[in-house]
Amino acid sequence: MGITFRLAWRNLWRHPRRTWLTISAMIFSNAVLVFMMSLQLGTYELMIGNTLQFLTGHMQVQAPGFKDDMKMRQVVNDIDALAETLRDQLKLEDITPRSSGFALLSSDSRSYGAQILGVDPEYERRVSIIPSLVKQGRFLDTREAPEIVIGEVLARNLKADLGDEVTLLGSGRDGSFAAAVATVVGIFHSGITDLDRGIAEVPIGFFDDVFYMQGAGHSVVLITPGFWMIEPYKVRVEELIEDDVVVHDWDALQPGLKQAIQADLSGAMIIYTVLVILVAFSVMNTQLMSVLERTHEFGVVMSLGVKPARLGWLVILETTLMGLGGLCLGAAAGGLITLWFSYNGFSFPGMDQMAAQFNLPQRFFPQVTLLSLCLGPTIVFIGSLLSSGYPALRLFWLRPVEAMRTV
Amino acid sequence: MNTAGIVMRLAWRNLWRNYRRTIIMLMAISIGAWAMIFMIAMLRGMVGDMIRDGINALPGVVQVHHPDYRDDPSVENLITMPSGEIESVFKEAQIQYFSPRVRVPAIVTSERASRGVTLVGVDPAKESLIQAVGSNIGEGRNLESVDDSGVVIGHRLANKLETSVGKRIVLMSQDRNNEVVDRGYRVIGLFTAKLPAQEEMFVFSGRTVVQKMLGIGDAVSEVAVSGPDYKLVEPLVQEVRQIFNGSEEVLSWQELDEYLSAMMGIIDGFVFVWIVVIFLALSFGLVNTLVMAIFERVREIGLMLALGMRPASILSQIIVESVFLLLIGLAIGNVLAYVTMLMLPAGIDISDLADGMELMGASDVLHPTINVKDIIIVNTFVLFLGVLASLSPAWKASRYEPVEAITKV
Amino acid sequence: MTAIRCINVCKTYHQGRDEIKALDHVDLAIDEGAFVCVSAPSGGGKTTLLNAIGGLDMPDSGEVWIGDTRIDQLNKGELAELRLRHIGFVFQAYNLIPVLTARENVEFVMEVRGVPSVERQKKSREILQEVGLEDLEGRRPAEMSGGQQQRVAVARAIVTDPSLVLADEPTANLDSKTSEGLMDLFAKLNKDHGTTFVISTHDRRVMAHARRLVKMLDGCIVEDIRQKGT
Ligand SMILES: Nc1ncnc2c1ncn2[C@@H]1O[C@H](COP(=O)(O)OP(=O)(O)O)[C@@H](O)[C@H]1O
Ligand SMILES: [Mg+2]
């Protein structure tokens, strides 16, 4: 090992400029990969977290088909009891029942359609951040009162203020006409136009009265203690619920989210692959050069009885040394760049609008994680090693006599 | 001095001296060029579809509203219907089409369920919204006239309402006096739309029928105007402004949908960053190849200098070699990209990711779009940057001292 | 009438702390049409002298004249022009551009000078015939023997009708028979074209061909012998 290693090291520095250029290619690609992956992974987490925190939660128990059709009569019976059972059995408090319907909301001067959610004020706070986003007035505080909390845009459109009464017109669980009057007690501002324009929340008991729910609801929303515990909890919930209801986790409830991430990832995969391939070619080129220019030398060594495999390993070892240099320096460079942005934030023109579309903040703060730091550079490293296979294998076809003739 | 011929010949032959190295480099350049063109085509395709669908969903690249309508899209904020006179003005201004429509929030109720929707009163003859959104009337028929009292709704909405063609639904909205008004309509047709959300959002009926229901005379919510090219929208805005010259708000689609117009900018920015990143990744290999090529030929370069060849000719010889390399690589890359496009003629079906693409505002079939402008940009950019990157090694080579170079072992 | 005149030319190299006087106050005048051999043992200063005369290298002090031009004061571009138009070079090895064929190598200087291709072809054919390589015009250097390569180099050196041909140890890599042939060629060209030849060597058999023999040692001219014609 000792002599081979020393040979490899010295060979690398025969052409310092070439070696550095090759390492620079690795450093550049690695830095780009580290930065992009940090940005991407961080963004996905934010996208998911920010989207789920409003209403979706980590999973929901619903009647089969409700997820897609959202029909009023696709109910979960005795929803309070189910929520209570789940809380007991799972030893988890962040579980709330919800009912949902559509109604025409009319103030004195305006009428707009909106989704009406019947919520349990006590538990809703634990599952959704909408209660904490009430900027005027207060959130609901009883299960029965004819009170309503609406989004900011809806309030503006309805020209409704705190204390005003709004009329709800819609159809109940059985399809019959449903109507009621509720007092606006709070106005929330989420920053998500669709929510601020289209969501109104009323106490679940009141909802039950208005829409003839008879103790039924539409979904039980759960938040697990951590994002990585969703799967085990889902399994538990599946054991606990009856056959007439199903549990959906967040990616079933928000299929767009996961797929947007997948679409973005597959685009990014092309970028990453191309970068890795380009580096691999760079390395292959360098190693081929270094093998070709040593043809004579290799011929001499082989005629002395050194096996081609040994020389092949020498080439691989040289690549490994170069690759490790690129790996460490590239990861360091990428890490530092990412770190800088993680303090100062990262944005680009047009990001406001894009951020709004995906529930993201106006500036990204990419986070350096072990995964984003190591994944890209490791792949580049492996790609480089593989690409030096061709020059290394060429040695097996080398004939000492011919090799020594070349200058 | 006329050295162009010999410089080219030397550059070309030198290129193939170490053909393995050249081929590796060519592969790298062509993959880089392919990746640039292909990715840009995909992006352009996605954003192009996005904008087309987005504009179709508006639609009308220019829209006229009451100044308060966008903030408060209610029956209160209407504009007076362009009269026959204005109609002729439109004709005179050679505006391809304009369509006045009533567009109000409403609640639709069937026997089984209620939904919040947007009720659109249209003149089917002029309307492009219904054509764009409901380009496929899957079942039943389309509206026939401005006073057709049937409604056309989306398949998904029909499904959620558990209604079907021939059945009645009730639409509730608000009239000018803030009274809730409702009216029964018969479903005459179901449409399918590219974006599922549109299938749930729009309910179309004859314009005068909706106007009568809302008691708004012949006032409308908006007038949509479209031109031949959505990219050339500014002159159209000016013309429409002149026609309306009143208090109405005339906006282009860029102003109406900030996300869409932001995406255009983001994509252009991304295209640029992408080209630069790929090029930089390539450039190390390119410079390396040239450095090596020069290193191997120090003696020859010295000889040529000793024989009286000018340093400038040595410089151009290296640059030309690099240009040959780049041109061949680019040509292969372009052809590869073109072939890739040919292999995906009908677009790439990514309907597995349909909901995600919808979240982005894009449809589930990608139509990669090769833009001549992008091709030119990619190729000139790579060529230009490539020559720039070759300058330093080439300059060094031309500065050799002939005596030292020629005696170098 | 004087083709080359060196006046008090000095050139010193530094190697670490050592000073090497490669040319030590060299005075030399060579007539037009002369056939001169510069001989010295290895390291004696032959290459340095020829490079100074050919404008490839600058002496530290002294004057170098080619005809009426004082070349040690010319800039690089002017020197390149001078080499291109008036001087032909034959080096010890690596004389030819590997990617060009024999004929293309011969035409190289003419092509750089912008000679039209018809004329180039005519001349290069003639010269290749003169050096006896008309059958090998399409071969690349790697496909020729050392002697053949040197002949191509000679052909290239004289094809533009330079007033002066400088050959630095042209026979060093050749066997004695080939060397003889090459020297005969030089002598013949000298006679037929009237071109001035300065040839450096440390081979006695080569020296025998020269009408004038300049012997150097450690950068100094130690002997200047005019021999009777061969
Ligand atoms: N570039 C150089 N650097 C240092 N010393 C040199 C250099 N070129 C030549 N010399 C020295 O100058 C002396 C003369 O060299 P040279 O003219 O090449 O001799 P020759 O051609 O007769 O063998 C030698 O001692 C040599 O070592
Ligand atoms: Mg010498």
Side-chain angles (χ1 to χ4, degrees), chain A residues 280-292:
Chain A
F281 275 124
S282 211
V283 173
M284 195 197 282
N285 210 346
T286 302
Q287 290 308 80
L288 183 69
M289 286 304 91
S290 100
V291 167
L292 287 180

Side-chain angles (χ1 to χ4, degrees), chain A residues 257-323:
Chain A
L257 198 56
K258 193 154 189 178
Q259 290 171 13
I261 289 172
Q262 275 169 357
D264 189 66
L265 258 183
S266 42
M269 281 314 290
I270 299 184
I271 299 185
Y272 298 157
T273 313
V274 168
L275 278 178
V276 172
I277 289 179
L278 291 183
V279 173
F281 275 124
S282 211
V283 173
M284 195 197 282
N285 210 346
T286 302
Q287 290 308 80
L288 183 69
M289 286 304 91
S290 100
V291 167
L292 287 180
E293 76 194 12
R294 281 184 278 168
T295 304
H296 179 80
E297 191 178 318
F298 283 157
V300 174
V301 182
M302 273 162 80
S303 66
L304 295 179
V306 175
K307 294 216 174 67
R310 182 113 189 228
L311 295 175
W313 279 117
L314 182 68
V315 173
I316 302 274
L317 186 60
E318 286 169 30
T319 316
T320 310
L321 287 174
M322 225 167 16

Side-chain angles (χ1 to χ4, degrees), chain B residues 1-7 9-11 13-15 17 297 299-300 302-311 313 317 398-403 406-409, chain C residues 13 47 51 56-57 76-81 83-85 87-89 91 93-101 104-105 107-109 111-114 120 140 156:
Chain B
M1 249 190 284
N2 175 26
T3 55
I6 185 82
V7 163
R9 190 142 23 105
L10 284 168
R13 295 213 186 141
N14 278 327
L15 185 62
R17 238 162 116 173
R297 283 180 229 149
R299 269 194 306 238
E300 282 158 67
L303 175 68
M304 290 189 256
L305 285 166
L307 292 176
M309 194 175 224
R310 297 255 180 175
S313 299
Q317 191 182 317
S398 72
R399 293 294 106 181
Y400 281 147
E401 284 298 328
V403 181
I406 216 166
T407 52
K408 191 144 191 162
V409 190
Chain C
Y13 289 111
T47 300
N51 285 348
L56 279 173
D57 210 356
K76 274 191 175 179
E78 290 164 332
L79 281 173
E81 195 64 23
R83 292 199 294 270
L84 199 58
R85 307 215 170 255
I87 304 177
F89 278 101
F91 300 101
Y94 304 111
N95 254 306
L96 304 178
I97 298 164
V99 290
L100 298 181
T101 62
E104 285 170 329
N105 264 292
E107 288 181 23
F108 179 80
V109 178
E111 205 167 344
V112 173
R113 271 166 65 164
R120 269 192 339 240
R140 293 203 182 183
R156 183 191 58 208

Side-chain angles (χ1 to χ4, degrees), chain A residues 73 109-110 112 156-157 171, chain B residues 71 76 114 162 174 178:
Chain A
R73 65 185 153 78
S109 54
R110 292 284 189 277
Y112 278 93
R156 201 166 65 229
N157 285 345
S171 37
Chain B
D71 187 41
E76 297 253 313
S114 301
E162 293 176 64
Q174 169 197 30
N178 310 322

Side-chain angles (χ1 to χ4, degrees), chain B residues 33 64 81 88 167 176 194 216 223 249 252 308 326 356 406:
Chain B
V64 187
M81 170 77 176
S88 63
K167 292 210 173 138
R176 268 210 144 131
K194 260 190 183 168
I216 53 174
V223 178
E249 181 183 55
S252 64
L326 289 163
I406 216 166

Side-chain angles (χ1 to χ4, degrees), chain A residues 101-221:
Chain A
F102 285 92
L104 186 70
L105 288 184
S106 301
S107 67
D108 285 348
S109 54
R110 292 284 189 277
S111 298
Y112 278 93
Q115 188 182 8
I116 311 291
L117 297 176
V119 301
D120 181 333
E122 187 189 343
Y123 289 101
E124 183 71 14
R125 292 172 189 283
R126 313 185 69 113
V127 169
S128 156
I129 63 161
I130 288 181
S132 64
L133 295 174
V134 173
K135 295 285 149 64
Q136 293 170 50
R138 59 169 173 81
F139 191 64
L140 308 168
D141 52 12
T142 68
R143 281 174 55 93
E144 305 296 339
E147 292 173 344
I148 189 166
V149 170
I150 58 180
E152 191 188 37
V153 178
L154 186 58
R156 201 166 65 229
N157 285 345
L158 286 171
K159 297 194 186 304
D161 224 327
L162 293 180
D164 289 355
E165 291 195 329
V166 292
T167 310
L168 282 68
L169 290 178
S171 37
R173 176 180 167 187
D174 54 359
S176 63
F177 186 70
V181 174
T183 310
V184 178
V185 295
I187 294 171
F188 70 85
H189 171 79
S190 67
I192 313 294
T193 315
D194 282 350
L195 295 181
D196 288 347
R197 191 196 337 254
I199 296 284
E201 295 190 344
V202 298
I204 191 165
F206 175 64
F207 187 98
D208 191 295
D209 284 350
V210 176
F211 294 94
Y212 314 114
M213 295 302 290
Q214 295 165 307
H218 291 110
S219 48
V220 178
V221 187

